[in-house]
Amino acid sequence: MYRYAVTLLIALFAGLAGFAGFNALVDPFGIMGSPDLPGLTARDTRLYEDGGRVHVGDQLARGGERGIILGSSRTVDGFPRDPADLPGGFINAGMRGTNIFELSQAAALAAGSDSLHCVVIGLDLDEFGTHSKAKSTYWLSALRDGHADFARARVALSPSTFGASVQLLADNLTGSEPRVPWADTYPAGAQRERYENGTRGIYRFYLGYRFDPERLALFETVLDRLTAEGVQVTGFIHPLHAWREEALFRAGRGDDFLAFRAALTEVFARHAGREPAEACLPGGGAQLYDFSGFRPFAALPAPAADAVNAHPTFYEPSHYLPHVGADMLAVMSGERPRDERVSGERLTPQSLEASARALAARRTAWLATPDGQAVTAMLDAVIAGNPSAELETPQFLNRDDETSVADKLARIAPRAARR
């Protein structure tokens, strides 16, 4: 019996070691530093399969970056991916499907590196809702506890990693690639369908949306600590295509959006006077820009029913193109954007009221256009059908969530050490 038990334990240990070793060698998320094997693992087709959490979390835990650009899939798709196309020292650290809890963790984790001086973070109403807190692979990544070595061990032992490893090998052996959601050309009508279906769906999402003030408070604790230690934080409100923004207003969330915008402005204003140790963008330690609100580049007409060419500024109502993100960075840097239609403004308590009036005027003007009338008719038909709200079980922050952020903030080097 003893020999049988020992043999069983050895077999289990060997199997576990082989499983972890296989995942570490294939390294689908690019965190182990394993060598590329020509024909087997050379093409990193699954690097961002989980939304980028494992890969980005590992990058932030390793440190070494001067600046990071955080945000949801709008940041992933809306800013250049190649660091050579970004300001010096910046990386695109966006993660798909994220929210302010994960983004706060990411900012706190990154700030543990002495090299980090600037955080640019994309924000919108979605990130502050109660509908989600963290995606499944968040718990595998270094975002969870800030410990890169523990995270790599979790990843190596994860069945999710095994699935990605097998897919990576298959991709390399067959030459296949993951499905790419965006293209330069589409079948006739495909892009129009994206706009119509996306707008109908987001209307139902906003019907069930609930803002969580505790998430804003959690984000402010991170903003407060980073700016106190000399890290410059520049927030920006994502642009959305006018079709999506109108769905938000028609779902009764216009006042919520304006209140959120005002609250976010006040949060950044409370920390604006702090001096960054090494600014990457003009301004103080904290500043907020707004690129939302029916602006010309986001109010261009949706693709026609027979269009095949990609829209010039938006993939679909929720996601803008990388050249728009690059121009937004230019605006935040005090430079002229290449596309003159791309505009934004710095929000302060003093400018907020005038900015809200300008937003309302732009919406009124857009609603009078053929594109605005088409969306009005479409949403009228949706509302007439009395659609149900898209409801999810609320996920509220708890003491452990707050503690995990506080633990990362405690590791930030003092401001004096950054100078």
Side-chain angles (χ1 to χ4, degrees), residues 57-254:
D58 190 69
Q59 278 186 298
L60 302 185
R62 291 177 187 271
E65 313 298 343
R66 177 172 179 259
I68 58 173
I69 305 175
L70 290 172
S72 63
S73 57
R74 287 184 258 286
T75 295
V76 175
D77 297 316
F79 284 81
R81 174 68 70 182
D82 189 339
D85 297 323
L86 292 169
F90 270 87
I91 62 166
N92 183 337
M95 298 176 288
R96 295 188 186 280
T98 192
N99 54 76
I100 198 59
F101 171 69
E102 291 184 328
L103 294 176
S104 296
Q105 296 275 14
L109 175 61
S113 169
D114 285 341
S115 64
L116 186 82
H117 291 285
C118 306
V119 173
V120 176
I121 182 169
L123 305 164
D124 58 29
L125 195 62
D126 297 10
E127 270 96 22
F128 292 84
T130 61
H131 50 280
S132 65
K133 183 168 63 176
K135 301 295 183 180
S136 57
T137 52
Y138 164 86
W139 308 107
L140 290 178
S141 75
L143 298 171
R144 172 188 172 184
D145 52 21
H147 296 295
D149 291 337
F150 288 168
R152 294 181 196 119
R154 291 192 294 267
V155 170
L157 294 169
S158 168
S160 298
T161 308
F162 180 75
S165 297
V166 171
Q167 289 178 316
L168 177 65
L169 289 175
D171 290 342
N172 276 265
L173 290 170
T174 63
S176 63
E177 295 277 359
R179 184 181 67 86
V180 178
W182 321 121
D184 294 327
T185 59
Y186 298 84
Q191 266 214 305
R192 181 74 177 196
E193 186 177 357
R194 282 180 184 268
Y195 274 72
E196 292 178 349
N197 291 342
T199 301
R200 294 188 187 102
I202 206 62
Y203 173 81
R204 293 183 59 239
F205 167 80
Y206 281 125
L207 280 180
Y209 176 87
R210 284 171 286 191
F211 177 74
D212 185 1
E214 290 187 2
R215 300 188 188 216
L216 182 60
L218 178 74
F219 171 67
E220 185 168 10
T221 64
V222 175
L223 178 66
D224 177 66
R225 184 58 188 273
L226 264 62
T227 54
E229 303 299 352
V231 179
Q232 183 184 51
V233 181
T234 301
F236 68 91
I237 300 176
H238 286 290
L240 302 170
H241 191 271
W243 279 40
R244 173 164 176 151
E245 289 193 305
E246 184 58 18
L248 182 154
F249 276 84
R250 291 296 298 276
R253 294 291 174 258

